[in-house]
Amino acid sequence: MSRDQLDNFVRLLKTSPSGAVFNPWWEVDRENDIDRFAPIIRRQQLRAYAQERLGRAKLVVIGEALGYRGGHFSGIPMTSERMLLHRQQQILVGVKPRRTSKPSVCPNGFSEPTATIVWGALREIGLRPHEFVLWNAFPWHSFDPRRGLLSNRMPNKSEQLSGRPVLKAFLELFACEQIVALGKIAAALLEELNVNAHCVRHPASGGAKFFRQQIARIVNKLA
């Protein structure tokens, strides 16, 4: 894929729905971002992440929606800022990872439990970072307006529908051998696109053990 195609995909992310939805690649979180250049940093990190995996990834893992502890500040789905800052898992190549949250908000950078479990499981199985790519059925961060931007909520039906073109475009860019849906909501959204995907247990709420077992069986088939 050319640089222009990747730029077109990133521009597609600009059209996020209104309401309690934060777009980390095109909006500034005025309460928590380190400065007004935060969206640019997140776009750069997303581009580097995607570019490294194009034509190389053989496994796609699709979650439900971007989380405030993960992609909201890292710019990369199911990947926490802390993982980037500590250079864990060799997530980015050719770009120096940078934080976008204020140190006063979270001194060591935000850490997302789901991100830690997913990355850890895939690396323990033996996959190299460029051999899998992570995304969300709803690509933006849906938050609870009563609790503010540092919260998560399930995107509603209308929001899910608005994210469908981005999900479709992503799956066209990463035509991998296997697609995994992380939980029933992601599985249902993929089914609406007539995408054949494995549904595995979401690692949250005590599901980590089952997730590791299920994802290991899928990856072993790839081998």
Side-chain angles (χ1 to χ4, degrees), residues 47-58:
R47 282 193 181 96
Y49 170 82
Q51 190 71 58
E52 176 69 10
R53 288 155 179 81
L54 285 168
R56 305 176 75 191
K58 55 186 180 181

Side-chain angles (χ1 to χ4, degrees), residues 152-188:
N152 296 321
R153 67 170 174 84
M154 183 177 74
N156 60 41
K157 289 293 183 181
S158 175
E159 291 166 342
Q160 291 173 12
L161 186 62
S162 70
R164 189 179 294 179
V166 177
L167 177 59
K168 185 177 179 180
F170 177 83
L171 293 173
E172 289 173 354
L173 296 179
F174 292 94
C176 297
E177 296 176 42
Q178 299 285 355
I179 300 173
V180 172
L182 201 61
K184 294 181 179 179
I185 294 174

Side-chain angles (χ1 to χ4, degrees), residues 90-144:
Q90 297 179 326
I91 298 166
L92 295 180
V93 175
V95 172
K96 182 180 179 180
R98 296 170 64 186
R99 71 178 300 152
T100 65
S101 69
K102 294 176 181 176
S104 59
V105 174
C106 191
N108 296 319
F110 282 92
S111 179
E112 185 179 63
T114 294
T116 301
I117 294 169
V118 170
W119 274 92
L122 293 172
R123 295 295 283 128
E124 286 171 12
I125 293 167
L127 285 180
R128 290 174 289 180
H130 66 265
E131 292 182 314
F132 60 91
V133 60
L134 312 175
W135 196 251
N136 289 296
F138 183 73
W140 306 286
H141 172 214
S142 48
F143 61 91
D144 184 341

Side-chain angles (χ1 to χ4, degrees), residues 20-22 24 28-34 42 66-74 81 99-107 109-112 141-153:
V21 173
F22 177 70
V28 176
D29 179 345
R30 300 189 183 281
E31 295 179 13
N32 305 297
D33 274 347
I34 196 165
R42 292 190 284 261
L66 209 69
Y68 82 89
R69 296 178 183 272
H72 180 117
F73 293 109
S74 71
E81 192 175 49
R99 71 178 300 152
T100 65
S101 69
K102 294 176 181 176
S104 59
V105 174
C106 191
F110 282 92
S111 179
E112 185 179 63
H141 172 214
S142 48
F143 61 91
D144 184 341
R146 296 167 298 180
R147 298 166 57 199
L149 284 165
L150 299 185
S151 66
N152 296 321
R153 67 170 174 84

